[in-house]
Amino acid sequence: MAQPIQEIEVNQDGTKRSLSNRHVQMIAIGGTIGTGLFLGAGSTISKSGPTILILYAVLGTLFFFMMRAIGEMLYSQPDQHTFVGFISKYLGKGPGVFAGLTYWLALIFAGMSELTAIATYVKFWFPTWNTAAIEISFLAVLVLLNILAARAFGETEFWFAMIKIIAIISLIVTGIFMVMTGFKSPGGATASFGNIFHNFSLFPNGFQAFLGSIPMVFFAMAGMEFVGITIGETKNPRKVLKKAINETVYRVLLFYIGALIIIMSIMPWTSITAGNSPFVQVFKLAGLPAVAAVINFVVLTSASSALNSVLFSSGRHLYQLSRELDWKPLAKIAKAGIPTPAILFSGALLLFAPVIASIPSINDAFQFVTGGASDLYLVVYLMTMVAHRRFRVSPEFMPDGFKMPWYRYTSPITIGAFVLVFLSLFANPNDVIPATGAIIWVIVFGGYCYLRFRNQEVATI
């Protein structure tokens, strides 16, 4: 019997194409602009000073090329539910299973970093509240939103992301006004673009400190690929894809670099400290504590937004992996087209965040979990770029499609740069354990996956 009122296309796997272009744009921005900017920027500025602007521009360009590589593959095969599926298709089932679990684990670590940041922001107002209770409460609410319906998640994320974008634009506009009027903070600092270049040094705290800031900048950019995960539940995927990828990258670079320029103009970068949001620090030092409280609410919303995107993405990845490996309890779809068991399981693992924060030997839980996420992201990004090279010589390659610019040069440069970013993890004491763990993970679990599925065929190329 025909159902004329049904307007939402249902995929073969049971998920529904209920997300519009505005949802996709905001989910991608929401997944990228989070604690890496609002909290992590304090650490990176204190280590590298104004040089951090160059680092954001360089890494942002690399992410642009990676996104175009992912976009090229998705454009040719928009039925793929996640970009990690291309690793299975072009490198084999073993690498695909390894990449799928690795990326899912990276998302779990990223989610834990957002939970850690959320507790930090809430304690701005309620310093005596229990950290674990704060994290569990926020996690429960966001998991509930994710299992209602994809559109409910999309609408929630749209407004979460809109709040943070308005906050960044407001900061930039306010900062320009303060610079133009020569605003003086109670500490005597005068707002000026000249603060960026005052006593400028390429490596003000030494080259090792600069290397140590690279992982946090990388983590701030990571998550941009979320736009590729939403394509499977998007109307008119090819039409949305081009605009979503290009505009997301441009906007993220504008917001990041623009916000950092304003922050370092309002106050000398030497006054910015790690462990606190520079957004909040700027307004507190400018003598505007009420505005600082508002900004703290905004950055709290931002972390919630990023965690919301992590839950969406991790649930979809675990669901697809469960289907491939026949993990029946996690390979189920609810009536609303939501992989509810996979989302619930992913959310449950995020509860390790307060456990990690309570370990005495870890003196910076936020940096520890971001390091854990970064090294796992890097492994999957590298595998994705290699899969893209195999795609380029496959029958699915579309010469007139959405191609990666200057592929012959940008592909090897991007791969080499990601290797260097991984090596930079060893410049931070808190990142050494996660980076070493990633190497062990690749050797042990990667080797197991290779041996377990080595007889599986790779896509014909």
Side-chain angles (χ1 to χ4, degrees):
M1 181 177 178
Q3 297 182 19
I5 61 172
Q6 179 70 30
E7 298 179 356
I8 299 176
E9 179 185 347
V10 180
N11 296 317
Q12 291 184 354
D13 62 4
T15 55
K16 299 179 180 180
R17 293 187 178 273
S18 57
L19 298 176
S20 65
N21 177 57
R22 69 184 179 92
H23 293 138
V24 172
Q25 292 278 355
M26 289 302 185
I27 289 169
I29 293 174
T32 306
I33 300 178
T35 53
L37 173 63
F38 289 109
L39 183 59
S43 172
T44 54
I45 292 174
S46 65
K47 288 179 178 178
S48 299
T51 306
I52 205 66
L53 297 172
I54 300 173
L55 193 53
Y56 269 100
V58 171
L59 283 177
T61 302
L62 291 174
F63 267 88
F64 169 75
F65 290 131
M66 184 191 75
M67 288 302 302
R68 288 297 297 266
I70 292 174
E72 184 176 350
M73 293 187 287
L74 284 169
Y75 188 84
S76 71
Q77 301 156 71
D79 57 328
Q80 283 286 341
H81 202 64
T82 164
F83 70 94
V84 177
F86 294 114
I87 297 175
S88 292
K89 184 166 187 176
Y90 296 110
L91 300 185
K93 187 170 183 179
V97 170
F98 170 74
L101 279 172
T102 300
Y103 188 76
W104 173 73
L105 191 59
L107 291 171
I108 297 301
F109 271 100
M112 287 192 286
S113 74
E114 304 300 343
L115 268 181
T116 303
I118 284 172
T120 300
Y121 299 145
V122 172
K123 285 194 168 189
F124 175 85
W125 294 299
F126 308 103
T128 61
W129 281 17
N130 181 271
T131 298
I134 295 171
E135 293 177 353
I136 292 171
S137 299
F138 271 81
L139 181 61
V141 172
L142 292 177
V143 167
L144 180 61
L145 287 171
N146 267 268
I147 63 177
L148 290 176
R151 190 171 184 85
F153 158 79
E155 285 296 327
T156 303
E157 186 56 31
F158 176 85
W159 292 109
F160 269 167
M162 183 65 73
I163 290 173
K164 75 175 76 175
I165 290 171
I166 291 174
I168 294 173
I169 293 174
S170 299
L171 174 79
I172 292 173
V173 172
T174 302
I176 292 174
F177 175 78
M178 294 169 75
V179 169
M180 298 301 293
T181 57
F183 178 85
K184 288 184 179 293
S185 71
T190 301
S192 168
F193 291 122
N195 287 333
I196 299 174
F197 305 102
H198 184 67
N199 294 326
F200 177 80
S201 174
L202 194 60
F203 307 119
N205 293 314
F207 185 67
Q208 185 171 354
F210 169 76
L211 287 178
S213 66
I214 293 176
M216 184 60 73
V217 176
F218 171 84
F219 177 76
M221 295 285 180
M224 203 177 293
E225 73 283 353
F226 283 6
V227 65
I229 298 165
T230 61
I231 293 302
E233 295 175 55
T234 304
K235 306 169 186 176
N236 304 317
R238 278 184 173 155
K239 180 180 179 181
V240 170
L241 184 66
K242 286 185 177 181
K243 186 175 183 181
I245 286 181
N246 286 335
E247 292 189 4
T248 296
V249 174
Y250 300 151
R251 287 174 183 173
V252 166
L253 282 174
L254 173 64
F255 292 150
Y256 270 99
I257 295 176
L260 292 176
I261 288 174
I262 292 301
I263 287 170
M264 288 187 285
S265 297
I266 294 175
M267 57 186 292
W269 68 267
T270 51
S271 301
I272 299 174
T273 58
N276 295 296
S277 169
F279 281 70
V280 177
Q281 286 180 257
V282 163
F283 287 106
K284 284 183 72 174
L285 289 176
L288 301 170
V291 177
V294 173
I295 293 297
N296 192 69
F297 169 76
V298 171
V299 295
L300 172 61
T301 303
S302 171
S304 302
S305 164
L307 178 58
N308 201 29
S309 291
V310 162
L311 286 168
F312 179 93
S313 180
S314 62
R316 268 66 180 176
H317 273 283
L318 183 58
Y319 165 69
Q320 179 158 330
L321 196 62
S322 299
R323 292 185 71 214
E324 292 178 7
L325 298 177
D326 199 28
W327 295 346
K328 292 182 180 179
L330 296 174
K332 295 180 179 179
I333 285 284
K335 289 183 179 180
I338 301 295
T340 301
I343 292 174
L344 291 174
F345 185 78
S346 299
L349 286 187
L350 292 176
L351 293 175
F352 278 99
V355 176
I356 292 175
S358 66
I359 298 176
S361 59
I362 300 177
N363 54 28
D364 189 337
F366 178 72
Q367 186 171 331
F368 181 87
V369 291
T370 56
S374 295
D375 50 32
L376 295 175
Y377 274 132
L378 279 163
V379 171
V380 179
Y381 289 169
L382 284 166
M383 295 179 73
T384 302
M385 293 303 299
V386 174
H388 176 253
R389 295 182 70 83
R390 299 291 295 270
F391 160 79
R392 272 279 180 151
V393 293
S394 74
E396 290 85 10
F397 171 62
M398 297 174 63
D400 59 344
F402 184 48
K403 294 197 298 182
M404 179 184 185
W406 311 295
Y407 161 78
R408 183 176 298 180
Y409 308 102
T410 56
S411 176
I413 288 173
T414 303
I415 291 173
F418 282 154
V419 171
L420 293 177
V421 172
F422 184 87
L423 293 176
S424 73
L425 286 163
F426 291 92
N428 279 327
N430 278 327
D431 289 336
V432 171
I433 294 177
T436 304
I439 294 174
I440 296 173
W441 172 264
V442 170
I443 294 173
V444 177
F445 186 66
Y448 167 77
C449 289
Y450 172 76
L451 294 173
R452 173 68 176 81
F453 299 105
R454 61 181 171 180
N455 293 325
Q456 297 286 341
E457 292 185 359
V458 184
T460 303
I461 62 173

